[in-house]
Each structure stands twice: as structure tokens, then as C-alpha cells.
Amino acid sequence: MGKTLVIQPVIRIEGNARITIQLDDTGNVSDTRVSIMELRGFERFCIGKPVEEMPRITTRICGVYPPSHHLASAKATDVVFGVDPPPAAKKLRELCNSIAFMEEHILHFYFLAGADFILGPEADYSVRNIIGIIGAVPDVAKRVVRVRHMAAKTLEMIAGKSIHPSAAVPGGFSRPLLEEERKELRKMADECLEFSKFSISFAKKDLFSKYLEVVKSLGVINTGFLGTVTEDGLLDLYDGKLRMMSVDGSYEDFKCDEYTDYIREHVEPWTYLKFPYAKKAGGFSMDLDNPNGIYRTNTLARINVVDKIDTPLAQAELEEFREKFGRPAQQTLLYHWARLIELLYNAENIVRLLDDPEITSTDIRKTEYYLFQC
Amino acid sequence: MEKLPVYCRKEILIAGCGNKLFGDDGFRPEVVEYLTNHCNIPENICLLDVDTGIRKILFTISLSEVRPEVIVIIDAVDKGRKPGEIFDISLAEIPKEKTDDFLIHQVPSSNLLKELQDLCSVKVRIMAYQVKTILETVQPGLSGPVKKAVRLMAKKIAEEYF
């Protein structure tokens, strides 16, 4: 057996991973493994705990993306208690979700991916970092800090705490949004939207255009995709049904409670990450030339599976994206481009939700069933 | 609204990051709470209970044009010492101790702290304490020795920084 190369830590991701590259006797790559080092263990941690505590517990088990775990847990408790939250509560939750997505997408694009695009893949590794970004585009760096600060403040105002939101509760939301708060948030939302518009325009003009050939050729793998869509096939990051798209672009929709009818899990001993795969494929294979059952999720997947986006600027970007790369797009580096389309969608969605008169309604929680159970 | 978050603007950032739900890991938020309730926090200090989410704060600090000169992290370690014992560890010791354990995503990303120290001239200090046990189930509440150490750590911080 030849040499083993280990890359750790992997710093372009949120979390921790180890890449192990196994070389054969002739020095060629015989196998590569990406081991995810983080054990989430939600299922174990939650055993025996009161179900209504889940929205508080799960945010503290994962420090990487607490708002999503918070909202997912709250939605699960709705189902357990058989309550359908009032429309205003759903809108407040969706508002939190869009703010959190916006904050994370900015983080991912500028902090994690930014150095490679802004400094360029040929730049020396020693300068391809955050300090390099500040040196190359100081004004952009300042705006990134300000907009992320605004997003955190906004989330704190609506959900109690930006790091570990606590406002989503079984049956709805714990506090209404006051009109004074809405007005304050609305001003910030405009600035966030402007920054989102700038980000995609900057990326297309100054970054992606330079590396288009690399984007088209690096890490291309043909897989299926999974994402959430509304009943009408529109992009939906808070709710909706699941859409499983095959490599050829055909797709099947199913409800989240039918998950186990469509998805199975494969486990490997060298990583905490599980490998969910499409049941319909009949098996699971990571053979690069002939992958089986594998589907991808996250930004590119969602952008691939949606029919349309119901905010005008993001929809225009989606159309341009599809014209350039088709549907489904398989180029892995397009995750960054798709991320910026979603950034724009979320910024538009925040403005739309804050302009909705119902967002300040005080009818934000259904408690009847919950109280009856107690 | 200020253009920069308060944790970027203050000279010293003292961050209590830990998980209140996992026994002795909840020490750090309790130290922050103790200091907040018992001391006058000087103007140049930002005392923050960041729970399990310091990563986001470190990202913002690293990209900000204005940063704290010193970041103090209060961290849980298991070095086989006496439970509740307080001692400093170097930044280089964090990955060795925690690279593969399940708490890693909840503690400061050591590579980010290293970048801040090496590339941004931010002095990073890790004030560690010895845990009694690392719990693997949700069980809030500190062990006796670690609970006693809350006041000692708060006193040490106040004496050195306030």
C-alpha cells in the first residue's frame, strides 16, 4: 500500500472534517475519504426529554446552525400536539428563517469561499485567507461585517437571541412583532437587500466570470438532488413538500412524513456522517463514474428542483442561471452561485414579510390542544 | 444602530462559551452571569455569554477593521487534574484535546482563533478549568467542585482584567 495523505483541519467548511487520500504503490490516488468529525447525536440526546423542550435543546446541541434546528423542532412539536400555528406565527418563523439563511449565506460566501474566489486559486496559500480578503476588497469586508451585524440584531429582536433563538414554541410564536420594531427592521431589510443585490452582481462580474472554465470542470459529478418546494413548485425554505430529482431532471414529490418511503440511510465506520440515498435506486454506490442512489442537497439542489422563485429579482437570476447551466446543473462549484440566488431570495422575502400587515398580528399561538394535553 | 458589534469595538472580549445543558460544560455561562451580577464591568471590556455559538462572532471579528486587542476564552478541558482546577492552556493544545470529540463544534474554532492571533495580532488567552465528567446526555447542572470554581474563576478574571 502506498502513502496516505491527511488534510486536517478542513477550513473551508463550517464544522470539522478530515480528508484522507490513499495513494497506491505507483503514487496514484486509489481512494479518498472525507470524514466528518462531528457527532450530532440529536436522537440520543433527546431521549427521555419533554417534547416541548426540543426547540431549546437542539439549538444547543449544534452550534453551527441553531436557527434551523430551533424551527425544525418547533414544527415537529406542532405535529406532536396536533396544532396548526396561526398565519402570523408561521410568517414570524419564516422571517426568522430567512434572516438566518441570509446571515449564513453571507458567512459562507465571503468567509469560507471568498478567499479562493477573491484572491484567486493561484494565490499563495499564506495570503488566501480572511486577511487577504480585507486587503483585496476592504469596502466589501466592511459591508459584510455591517450586514451580518444587522442580521444578528434583527434575529435577536424577533427571536430573543440571535445565537440560540427561543421564540418559536409549540403551536406558534412566543411574542408578537411590535409596529415600532417592524419599522426599525424594515430599514435594515432595505440595506440587506441592497447588499444581496451587490453580492450577486459582484460575484458574477468580478469572480465567477474569471473562473468559469474551472467552475464548469472542477468536481463535476452526476447525481440526483433533493429540496423543498411549495405545492406549486416554488422555492420554499421553511415548509412545503420534498422534491427528489433524478440525474435526468425528472422528479417525484412527496410529503415529509413519507420520508422513509423514499430515503434510506447507509452508514460507514470512518465518519459520523450518514449517507442517505434514494430508495428507488435500489442500492448505494459512491463509484464516481457510476454513482447510485446518491442525491445532493443544499443550495444547488434547491435551485435545481424548483420550478420558479416567487420573488422577482431572484427569479430573474434563476432564469439567467438556467440559461447558462441548464437544469439540473451538476457542477459542484455552482453551489456558490446558487447560494447567492438564495441570498437574494431571502433578502426579498424579508422585505415582503415585513411589508405584510399580518406580521404584527397578536394572534400568534394556538394553545387549546396543548393546554388540554397538560 | 452602531456599525460594528460591541464585541468588535471593545479592547478586551471575554467570552463564556459552553453548553448549559451538559453538566460542567455550563460553567462558562455561569461565570459570565456571576461577573455580570457581582462586578462593575469596565468600559473597555465586553463580557459575552455566547453559549455554543462563538464561531459566528469570531468570523465577524476576523473580517472587521476594528477588533479587540485581547480575546479571553473560558474553556472546559479534561487534563486529569483536580475537578474545578483553573489553569491556562495554549491555543495549540486545543486541537489535540478536542479534535475528535463531539463537543468540537460547540467550542471556539481553534483555526479561527489561530488566524486571529497570527494574522490579526489579537492576543488569545484560554483560561481552562478541569471538568469532573463530560456528560453524554442532556443533564443541566454543574458538579460540586466545578460549581465552587465559578466564583474563583470570576475573581481571577476580575483581578486581572477589571
Side-chain angles (χ1 to χ4, degrees):
Chain A
M1 186 181 280
K3 206 173 169 185
T4 302
L5 308 176
V6 177
I7 301 170
Q8 189 182 15
V10 179
I11 58 169
R12 294 289 196 266
I13 58 164
E14 299 187 54
N16 290 278
R18 178 176 61 222
I19 300 171
T20 310
I21 304 167
Q22 185 64 52
L23 305 182
D24 60 22
D25 291 336
T26 58
N28 290 317
V29 175
S30 62
D31 197 11
T32 302
R33 289 174 174 178
V34 179
S35 305
I36 302 300
M37 312 309 296
E38 299 168 37
L39 169 63
R40 290 294 201 280
F42 284 67
E43 301 93 331
R44 289 289 303 168
F45 290 133
C46 296
I47 289 172
K49 303 298 164 208
V51 68
E52 63 271 24
E53 288 294 312
M54 291 305 112
R56 290 199 316 135
I57 291 176
T58 55
T59 59
R60 284 179 166 78
I61 290 174
C62 174
V64 172
Y65 203 50
S68 286
H69 299 303
H70 178 59
L71 294 171
S73 300
K75 286 177 67 181
T77 58
D78 294 341
V79 176
V80 170
F81 290 118
V83 285
D84 186 26
K90 287 184 186 172
K91 285 174 183 171
L92 284 167
R93 287 182 184 183
E94 191 184 344
L95 182 58
C96 289
N97 199 42
S98 269
I99 294 165
F101 260 84
M102 188 177 70
E103 191 185 4
E104 284 297 320
H105 280 3
I106 292 171
L107 183 149
H108 196 117
F109 184 72
Y110 285 104
F111 288 86
L112 301 177
D116 293 328
F117 280 107
I118 292 169
L119 280 301
E122 302 304 322
D124 188 87
Y125 180 73
S126 63
V127 298
R128 242 184 314 137
N129 51 37
I130 284 173
I131 306 307
I133 296 176
I134 298 170
V137 285
D139 291 339
V140 176
K142 276 184 208 168
R143 288 182 75 181
V144 169
V145 171
R146 177 164 167 75
V147 172
R148 276 182 47 80
H149 178 40
M150 276 195 291
K153 277 277 164 206
T154 306
L155 202 53
E156 194 175 305
M157 202 182 283
I158 301 166
K161 206 173 174 188
S162 74
I163 293 172
H164 295 117
S166 55
V169 288
F173 214 68
S174 63
R175 65 180 292 273
L177 182 67
L178 305 175
E179 177 56 20
E180 308 88 88
E181 292 172 331
R182 190 199 67 80
K183 282 181 185 160
E184 196 179 334
L185 295 177
R186 186 63 179 78
K187 283 181 207 156
M188 290 194 251
D190 277 338
E191 196 169 335
C192 291
L193 178 57
E194 283 309 309
F195 181 72
S196 302
K197 284 155 65 176
F198 160 78
S199 291
I200 195 159
S201 161
F202 166 65
K204 285 195 300 185
K205 186 167 161 285
D206 296 339
L207 307 179
F208 297 149
S209 54
K210 278 191 213 167
Y211 307 113
L212 207 52
E213 287 313 307
V214 180
V215 168
K216 283 180 178 173
S217 58
L218 184 69
V220 180
I221 176 174
N222 292 324
T223 69
F225 293 96
L226 180 76
T228 44
V229 294
T230 66
E231 283 305 316
D232 302 328
L234 303 171
L235 178 63
D236 190 344
L237 299 175
Y238 170 74
D239 219 339
K241 59 185 176 180
L242 289 153
R243 175 168 288 177
M244 177 75 81
M245 179 173 271
S246 301
V247 178
D248 64 6
S250 62
Y251 58 79
E252 199 171 356
D253 294 350
F254 58 97
K255 292 177 185 167
C256 61
D257 59 6
E258 296 170 327
Y259 183 88
T260 51
D261 296 338
Y262 289 83
I263 292 165
R264 295 190 74 172
E265 282 183 349
H266 174 82
V267 178
E268 290 285 346
W270 40 267
T271 177
Y272 283 130
L273 187 79
K274 289 180 184 173
F275 296 84
Y277 64 95
K279 209 171 176 176
K280 208 174 162 184
F284 172 82
S285 168
M286 286 191 279
D287 179 350
L288 274 181
D289 297 325
N290 192 22
N292 189 34
I294 294 180
Y295 63 85
R296 287 182 277 180
T297 57
N298 210 290
T299 55
L300 182 61
R302 292 189 292 259
I303 289 303
N304 273 332
V305 301
V306 297
D307 296 327
K308 280 183 78 176
I309 300 177
D310 66 349
T311 59
L313 299 176
Q315 172 60 22
E317 293 295 339
L318 176 67
E319 287 167 19
E320 185 184 327
F321 182 87
R322 289 228 164 119
E323 200 171 306
K324 277 190 167 71
F325 306 108
R327 179 191 186 195
Q330 297 282 6
Q331 297 88 336
T332 303
L333 285 178
L334 288 179
Y335 266 90
H336 299 301
W337 196 316
R339 184 168 289 112
L340 293 175
I341 297 175
E342 277 199 354
L343 171 66
L344 192 53
Y345 161 76
N346 282 296
E348 287 183 283
N349 197 36
I350 291 166
V351 170
R352 175 169 62 185
L353 286 163
L354 286 170
D355 283 344
D356 186 332
E358 202 169 33
I359 200 78
T360 50
S361 165
T362 53
D363 180 17
I364 51 168
R365 190 177 187 191
K366 275 191 186 159
T367 55
E368 296 86 353
Y369 188 83
Y370 178 62
L371 290 172
F372 174 72
Q373 288 294 299
C374 292
Chain B
M1 194 188 75
E2 295 283 350
K3 283 189 177 176
L4 290 171
V6 65
Y7 52 80
C8 288
R9 288 182 274 122
K10 299 283 184 172
E11 193 183 324
I12 299 169
L13 166 64
I14 300 172
C17 38
N19 197 330
K20 292 173 186 174
L21 301 178
F22 287 86
D24 284 347
D25 205 39
F27 173 82
R28 299 157 275 188
E30 288 219 18
V31 171
V32 171
E33 195 178 327
Y34 188 94
L35 285 166
T36 309
N37 293 338
H38 294 85
C39 303
N40 289 320
I41 313 298
E43 265 303 299
N44 66 331
I45 286 180
C46 175
L47 182 65
L48 222 51
D49 173 8
V50 293
D51 246 302
T52 56
I54 196 170
R55 181 192 61 102
K56 291 184 176 195
I57 286 169
L58 293 180
F59 272 129
T60 302
I61 290 173
S62 60
L63 203 55
S64 172
E65 57 180 339
V66 179
R67 305 184 186 99
E69 290 173 19
V70 180
I71 297 177
V72 179
I73 304 287
I74 309 168
D75 197 15
V77 294
D78 188 358
K79 288 268 193 186
R81 294 197 185 203
K82 200 174 154 194
E85 192 179 338
I86 294 164
F87 49 97
D88 278 23
I89 59 169
S90 70
L91 193 48
E93 286 176 84
I94 295 183
K96 286 176 194 161
E97 296 297 314
K98 295 189 164 183
T99 296
D100 289 344
D101 82 21
F102 73 89
L103 287 173
I104 188 70
H105 60 289
Q106 299 167 345
V107 300
S109 294
S110 51
N111 61 309
L112 261 179
L113 285 169
K114 193 169 182 326
E115 280 192 9
L116 279 166
Q117 187 169 261
D118 296 347
L119 305 174
C120 307
S121 305
V122 174
K123 189 179 173 196
V124 177
R125 180 180 181 189
I126 315 289
M127 296 177 81
Y129 66 95
Q130 172 65 44
V131 295
K132 188 175 178 191
T133 49
I134 297 284
L135 295 176
E136 293 188 7
T137 55
V138 174
Q139 198 177 319
L142 305 181
S143 65
V146 171
K147 196 170 181 62
K148 277 185 194 160
V150 169
R151 197 178 61 83
L152 296 176
M153 178 67 95
K155 190 166 174 271
K156 190 174 168 65
I157 290 170
E159 280 173 0
E160 293 190 37
Y161 293 104
F162 289 9

